[in-house]
Amino acid sequence: MPATDTTETENQESGAEKTPAAETLASALTELQALLGKRCSLAEAVRSTHGKGESWHPLQAPDAVCFAESTQEVAAIVTICARYRIPVIPYGSGTCIEGQLQAVHGGISIDLSAMNAILAVHSDDMDCRVQAGVTRKQLNSHLRDTGLFFPIDPGADATIGGMAATRASGTNAVRYGTMRENVLSLTYVDASGAIVQTGTRARKSSAGYDLTHLLVGSEGTLGVITEIGLRLHGQPEAVLAAVADFPSVDAAVQTVIETVQLGIPMARIELVDSTSIRAINAYSHTDYPERDTLFLEFHGTDASVEEQVSTFRELAVAQGSERFEQARFEEERSRLWQARHDAYYAIMAAHPGKEGMSTDVCVPISSLAIIINWMREVIVESPFESEVLGHVGDGNFHMIFCITPGSETELAAANQLNEQLVHRAIELGGTCTGEHGIGLGKLKYLRREHGDAAVDTMQSIKRALDPNNLMNPGKTVAV
């Protein structure tokens, strides 16, 4: 039996004594400013920007922000912090959802955004190496003339380092996998300040422990990722995007299930419910029917794409789809997908003055309609609408609860709904998070999902690699 949930508050309190003393912090800051000059900032505005991502969790600013420009500088910063027992929190572009950036015990935020060099592209081998601050859009712009692209698309223009740290995925994962499948190697700085190289450019290896994939998804709790070797993919000969609407979530998801079972190699297949479509129409000036809708993309040769579209359309019509809009040219596809990527901002615009709590779970595809419909029934008695967005090709979906700032009642209701959703997902054989990560927000569900033995093992790894609990403490496994 899984252990009783550990609350977020309990986890934070357990390490509260590790907040650095004022005199110790002052000594560390003196050395950091000598190393970096003005690139070690104590400005309140800078610190505040780095103490909160795009999550609902309250701001917890670091004591200082260090803007690193090389792996060697990151190593020097961490070495100083290790000497004075100062916590370290890596920072990329600030797009995380579950509180990964909050400085729960104070410390130093290391901003890696200036480390944005594309170090090498090996077109023949379909791989590349980049610094952690490179963004996915920057990388794909650089690759445009090579015939290759990097497919992981979490929506936000996140940094590659942050995407590796959170094991990001997104809209293309159904065909191309997540960051787990697309990271070949890493350079990271460990808790002592040592620079560690993992993996090679080879596509497989049996040499030793797989440190690369131990770091992928570790959310900065085992080290600061500074360089990443990535698998690239060939740009498809033909790409076609489409939108299909359905009379219900059941009908849309059943179409997805049949599509997957028939082996149609979908590149993207996204569910946007009718409530969210209404918000998108208002925000993006589109005119989609206010029905549960699938956003789609097909990759392949001209002939294979036509075959995929024809088969999918037959399945969709059989489930009551009435409209199938296609977009073949890049400008049209971009317009269509921009509407999907704007969904979160559209939902927030439909609720002016509110803050968004975005949560995600992932279940086996056959259970997707069950959990979405169940949650829609549960949410009727709450102060929220049932906005649902999902990467339904792999069973991952999101709900967004729009909360009035300062309303303890609404925050409590949203947390209760989130807990019900997570528990139901786990009951159905799923996970508490498909791509947002654990951070602070999902910490209390880890033991329920994995059980004591597995979480204890994770904590043993954390203690072994970070004995002083300095690397993004209070997150992910919270020793």
Side-chain angles (χ1 to χ4, degrees):
M1 289 289 290
T4 303
D5 293 342
T6 302
T7 66
E8 176 182 326
T9 301
E10 288 171 344
N11 279 307
Q12 290 187 22
E13 287 177 349
S14 69
E17 73 280 4
K18 295 177 184 175
T19 300
E23 61 273 14
T24 302
L25 178 62
S27 298
L29 291 175
T30 297
E31 291 194 33
L32 291 169
Q33 288 177 320
L35 174 70
L36 301 170
K38 293 181 179 179
R39 288 188 287 117
C40 176
S41 177
L42 307 182
E44 183 177 354
V46 175
R47 291 168 48 236
S48 295
T49 300
H50 288 73
K52 189 180 191 302
E54 294 187 356
S55 74
W56 58 273
H57 301 277
L59 166 70
Q60 292 178 283
D63 297 301
V65 179
C66 291
F67 294 86
E69 295 182 349
S70 68
T71 295
Q72 289 69 30
E73 279 194 346
V74 173
I77 294 165
V78 173
T79 298
I80 292 169
C81 290
R83 185 183 313 127
Y84 291 100
R85 304 286 179 90
I86 306 293
V88 169
I89 306 101
Y91 183 96
S93 59
T95 58
C96 62
I97 298 294
E98 292 293 353
Q100 284 92 342
L101 297 179
Q102 269 72 354
V104 295
H105 305 311
I108 305 301
S109 173
I110 302 181
D111 188 313
L112 303 158
S113 58
M115 293 177 59
N116 60 356
I118 297 170
L119 302 172
V121 175
H122 305 103
S123 298
D124 290 347
D125 294 314
M126 300 174 69
D127 69 70
C128 70
R129 191 165 186 86
V130 302
Q131 288 185 311
V134 170
T135 67
R136 65 175 185 85
K137 288 183 179 179
Q138 176 192 350
L139 176 57
N140 278 323
S141 178
H142 183 86
L143 294 171
R144 185 172 292 137
D145 297 329
T146 66
L148 303 172
F149 80 117
F150 180 65
I152 310 304
D153 178 6
D157 191 22
T159 61
I160 301 297
M163 290 167 64
T166 56
R167 198 158 59 223
S169 54
T171 60
N172 280 321
V174 63
R175 177 163 183 156
Y176 297 101
T178 71
M179 287 299 285
R180 179 183 62 187
E181 289 79 31
N182 288 280
V183 173
L184 296 171
S185 62
L186 294 171
T187 300
Y188 74 94
V189 175
D190 74 10
S192 70
I195 298 171
V196 182
Q197 310 283 347
T198 78
T200 68
R201 290 179 51 222
R203 290 306 172 104
K204 65 179 183 179
S205 173
S206 298
Y209 294 147
D210 189 350
L211 296 180
T212 300
H213 293 99
L214 178 62
L215 266 289
V216 173
S218 63
E219 302 183 19
T221 62
L222 300 179
V224 182
I225 296 171
T226 61
E227 294 181 13
I228 308 97
L230 296 169
R231 183 189 306 266
L232 302 176
H233 297 261
Q235 293 178 5
E237 175 187 315
V239 178
L240 188 144
V243 176
D245 62 72
F246 293 84
S248 67
V249 168
D250 279 333
V253 173
Q254 186 58 38
T255 303
V256 173
I257 292 171
E258 292 175 2
T259 299
V260 172
Q261 289 175 339
L262 283 176
I264 300 174
M266 301 296 301
R268 309 189 197 192
I269 185 162
E270 299 280 301
L271 172 67
V272 182
D273 75 351
S274 55
T275 307
S276 303
I277 286 290
R278 186 184 313 124
I280 287 171
N281 282 340
Y283 183 83
S284 301
H285 308 292
T286 50
D287 61 352
Y288 299 121
E290 292 179 6
R291 306 215 305 166
D292 299 305
T293 299
L294 293 177
F295 285 69
L296 315 154
E297 194 163 276
F298 305 85
H299 291 182
T301 63
D302 286 325
S304 69
V305 164
E306 290 298 331
E307 183 180 356
Q308 292 170 39
V309 169
S310 176
T311 304
F312 178 88
R313 194 165 188 174
E314 288 180 14
L315 298 175
V317 169
Q319 292 293 333
S321 178
E322 295 178 354
R323 178 177 174 179
F324 191 82
E325 177 186 340
Q326 300 184 42
R328 184 174 294 276
F329 298 107
E330 184 174 357
E331 185 176 340
E332 295 173 336
R333 297 198 312 270
S334 296
R335 175 188 59 81
L336 185 152
W337 279 107
Q338 190 60 48
R340 164 61 185 92
H341 285 324
D342 285 343
Y344 174 80
Y345 305 103
I347 291 167
M348 296 314 302
H351 301 276
K354 302 225 173 176
E355 294 181 341
M357 177 193 287
S358 177
T359 185
D360 83 310
V361 296
C362 190
V363 297
I365 296 174
S366 61
S367 298
L368 192 60
I370 295 171
I371 191 170
I372 291 175
N373 286 326
W374 174 82
M375 195 61 189
R376 280 178 147 181
E377 292 175 5
V378 170
I379 209 170
V380 167
E381 302 300 323
S382 79
F384 309 110
E385 293 188 76
S386 60
E387 286 106 349
V388 176
L389 308 168
H391 312 311
V392 289
D394 53 17
N396 186 197
F397 77 97
H398 312 267
M399 296 197 74
I400 300 170
F401 308 124
C402 297
I403 304 166
T404 303
S407 173
E408 294 297 328
T409 301
E410 290 186 16
L411 180 59
N415 276 319
Q416 183 181 25
L417 286 168
N418 186 24
E419 185 162 314
Q420 289 177 278
L421 177 63
V422 167
H423 288 184
R424 184 67 172 139
I426 293 171
E427 286 172 1
L428 291 169
T431 176
C432 66
T433 175
E435 61 182 2
H436 288 177
I438 295 295
L440 296 174
K442 296 291 179 71
L443 192 55
K444 63 183 179 179
Y445 306 122
L446 205 60
R447 287 187 182 274
R448 182 177 182 88
E449 179 172 331
H450 292 296
D452 285 343
V455 175
D456 290 348
T457 300
M458 295 180 199
Q459 291 181 334
S460 295
I461 293 169
K462 166 72 170 170
R463 291 188 186 97
L465 299 184
D466 181 16
N468 295 315
N469 194 25
L470 300 180
M471 308 305 288
N472 209 7
K475 322 283 178 59
T476 313
V477 295
V479 298

